[in-house]
Amino acid sequence: MARIAVIGAGMGAMATAARLAVAGHQVAVYERGATYGGAVGRYEREDFAFDTGPGLLHLPAVYRDLFVKTGKRSLEDCVDLVQVDPAVRHVLPHHGIDVTLPGASHGGVAAALDTAFGQGAGERWNALLGRARDAWDATRRPLLEEPLPDGARQALGGDPYPALRRSGLLRRRPPTLSEVADRELGGALAELLTGLVRTYGIDPATAPGSATVLPYMEQTFGSWYVRGGMRALATAVYERCLERKVVFTFGADVREVLVRDGRAAGLLLADGSEAAADHVVCAIDPRQLPAGSLPWPADAVPARGADVPGRITLLLALRGARPGTAVHRTLVHAPGTQVTVLRPDDPATRPDAEHEAVTVSAVCGPGAPEPAELLNLAEKAVQGLRERLLWQEVRTPADVEAATGALGGAVPPPALAGAGGRLLHPANTTAVPGLYLAGGWAHPGGGLPHAGMTGALVAGLIVEGAEFRGSQ
């Protein structure tokens, strides 16, 4: 039985801790904040409740596997997980287009797109997602289910998306996602693809065509909501950790990873105490630790952090009942930005049936809307929004940084193949034996499912050693 110290109590950290504890190890989690869950937070006021981080779950199989591997009770026994259907509503006010896409129906999606964008739009969309499936199949295991091998940036640096080539067109580089969208979809329909990808914090103008795997993943595996809010998922994972005898220490500010005899030996805390360990798992952005406290080369620390955007979010308390025709998730597409509007049909989020809790968010960066503009765009999705508004809370990246410690409130995107490997994240192993990386800033990147995958990868590397190659 090894002693394992985990830095941070986010979803990747807890997924790692639960898997290591069930393997018989003694696991202690050190979290600088007052609670678990990292970015998966909750805000409550006057009997309204809001998710302050992810509002939906994609690839629920990641957490189903976590619960199967760490205890007797399944994920569905621990949370009320429901698939969102319709899957998404797209509003393009500058084109006069408003289209709602069903979930789990390629034919239904094609028919809806034909009606909104003209005959043939659905066929073009499904053909593009068919090519995205080829990219998914080519990279799913090395990108999501296996530790990054040596030379990964070269091996995964080529774009696996089989973009259509125009006769006579010679290129010195693969097309960007924006170019794929323009060529293979065209017109307003292209904005659906680029807008969906932009919500992940990825710039379509520089992203590779492999970013099409993100809408492919959503349409194929669906979008899921946990009743009571996504915070309930974090609580379920936390409680699973407690069942497995994981020990949590909150308010524990880690100052340094201790290295003795050439390998990780524990943690130095801000109060001067030491926590001895045989293995250390850093499950936060390593830049949160004091400069010089990380015993590996600077180029192994995520250098992209300064370029990774955060999000601005409005939490809206509305008077009046949620209409029965309301869609859970709406994307409002404006030039250069997309606004996500979430309207869960969940009694746990509102005082009573005569009120509604709505969350509105957008990725920050050049051209990002200010709160007033964000509210104007949200009104395209929620009729009579301003007249119904009781109060609002604005959460900026600075608020996210204060709550979670994420520098600049940055939200790491999922890893992608292509682009010369620049959209990959640092490997789960480091140059220091016994020191590992988990969570959204490590391979395979950010987002609920990807963070959960780091738990399986790091636990496998610690339990089985360097020969671990992922689940079969």
Side-chain angles (χ1 to χ4, degrees):
M1 178 178 69
R3 299 165 301 170
I4 298 173
V6 180
I7 307 173
M11 298 300 283
M14 293 193 295
T16 306
R19 288 179 181 272
L20 287 169
V22 81
H25 297 297
Q26 179 183 324
V27 185
V29 175
Y30 298 87
E31 165 60 47
R32 65 181 288 277
T35 188
Y36 55 86
V40 186
R42 185 174 177 87
Y43 178 83
E44 297 181 354
R45 172 180 164 187
E46 299 174 11
D47 294 324
F48 288 90
F50 306 85
D51 288 317
T52 57
L56 293 172
L57 173 64
H58 304 295
L59 287 179
V62 173
Y63 288 90
R64 290 191 179 112
D65 182 72
L66 172 65
F67 277 76
V68 166
K69 299 291 176 57
T70 60
K72 294 181 178 179
R73 299 178 66 210
S74 69
L75 175 63
E76 277 80 2
D77 287 336
C78 298
V79 298
D80 187 2
L81 187 66
V82 294
Q83 187 167 7
V84 174
D85 193 11
V88 62
R89 174 188 174 200
H90 292 274
V91 178
L92 292 79
H94 51 300
H95 292 292
I97 293 175
D98 188 331
V99 57
T100 298
L101 304 183
S105 173
H106 290 279
V109 168
L113 294 178
D114 281 346
T115 299
F117 295 92
Q119 195 64 33
E123 182 180 0
R124 295 197 304 278
W125 178 264
N126 282 344
L128 181 140
L129 290 195
R131 291 184 286 277
R133 180 189 60 217
D134 293 339
W136 170 267
D137 291 341
T139 59
R140 177 179 58 86
R141 281 197 60 80
L143 194 62
L144 301 179
E145 299 176 4
E146 299 175 347
L148 278 182
D150 293 338
R153 295 190 185 278
Q154 181 176 358
L156 292 169
D159 190 347
Y161 180 75
L164 295 180
R165 303 293 182 179
R166 289 184 177 176
S167 176
L169 179 62
L170 299 177
R171 301 195 64 91
R172 295 182 179 179
R173 59 168 178 79
T176 65
L177 181 77
S178 291
E179 291 168 339
V180 167
D182 289 340
R183 291 183 196 171
E184 301 181 20
L185 298 176
L189 183 60
E191 296 183 31
L192 265 61
L193 177 65
T194 56
L196 275 168
V197 168
R198 192 176 279 113
T199 63
Y200 286 84
I202 296 171
D203 182 1
T206 59
S210 66
T212 54
V213 301
L214 299 174
Y216 166 80
M217 179 180 68
E218 289 190 16
Q219 185 165 314
T220 302
F221 303 108
S223 299
W224 300 75
Y225 175 72
V226 177
R227 292 201 182 279
M230 297 304 295
R231 176 68 176 175
L233 176 63
T235 298
V237 178
Y238 174 67
E239 291 175 347
R240 177 55 55 88
C241 286
L242 295 181
E243 291 173 11
R244 301 273 67 86
K245 310 303 182 186
V246 175
V247 176
F248 287 79
T249 302
F250 296 105
D253 197 357
V254 175
R255 283 327 214 181
E256 187 177 343
V257 176
L258 299 175
V259 178
R260 296 192 175 111
D261 298 325
R263 65 171 291 115
L267 304 175
L268 174 64
L269 303 180
D271 63 5
S273 63
E274 294 185 5
D278 303 301
H279 302 276
V280 172
V281 179
C282 179
I284 62 174
D285 178 351
R287 297 171 307 135
Q288 292 184 36
L289 299 178
S293 65
L294 298 175
W296 62 75
D299 61 2
V301 179
R304 295 169 49 236
D307 301 321
V308 176
R311 287 175 172 80
I312 184 168
T313 302
L314 304 183
L315 311 177
L316 309 180
L318 306 185
R319 63 171 64 87
R322 178 185 186 273
T325 56
V327 175
H328 189 122
R329 178 193 185 200
T330 299
L331 292 186
V332 180
H333 301 257
T337 191
Q338 275 67 42
V339 173
T340 300
V341 180
L342 298 180
R343 308 177 70 181
D345 186 8
D346 186 350
T349 65
R350 59 193 183 231
D352 51 50
E354 296 305 313
H355 293 84
E356 182 180 5
V358 174
T359 302
V360 180
S361 63
V363 173
C364 293
E370 296 294 327
E373 184 185 356
L374 195 60
L375 197 64
N376 289 337
L377 291 170
E379 199 162 19
K380 307 294 183 182
V382 183
Q383 187 174 11
L385 175 62
R386 290 185 179 276
E387 290 74 18
R388 297 177 58 197
L389 185 62
L390 292 170
W391 51 262
Q392 68 174 342
E393 286 285 337
V394 180
R395 288 179 62 86
T396 67
D399 296 319
V400 174
E401 179 173 5
T404 69
L407 296 187
V411 180
L416 291 173
R422 64 178 176 79
L423 297 180
L424 299 177
H425 292 258
N428 306 109
T429 54
T430 71
V432 178
L435 178 60
Y436 302 85
L437 300 182
W441 290 101
H443 172 70
L448 279 174
H450 294 73
M453 290 172 190
T454 68
L457 294 174
V458 172
L461 288 165
I462 291 177
V463 172
E464 298 184 26
E467 66 275 10
F468 174 70
R469 289 297 178 266
S471 59
Q472 301 299 321

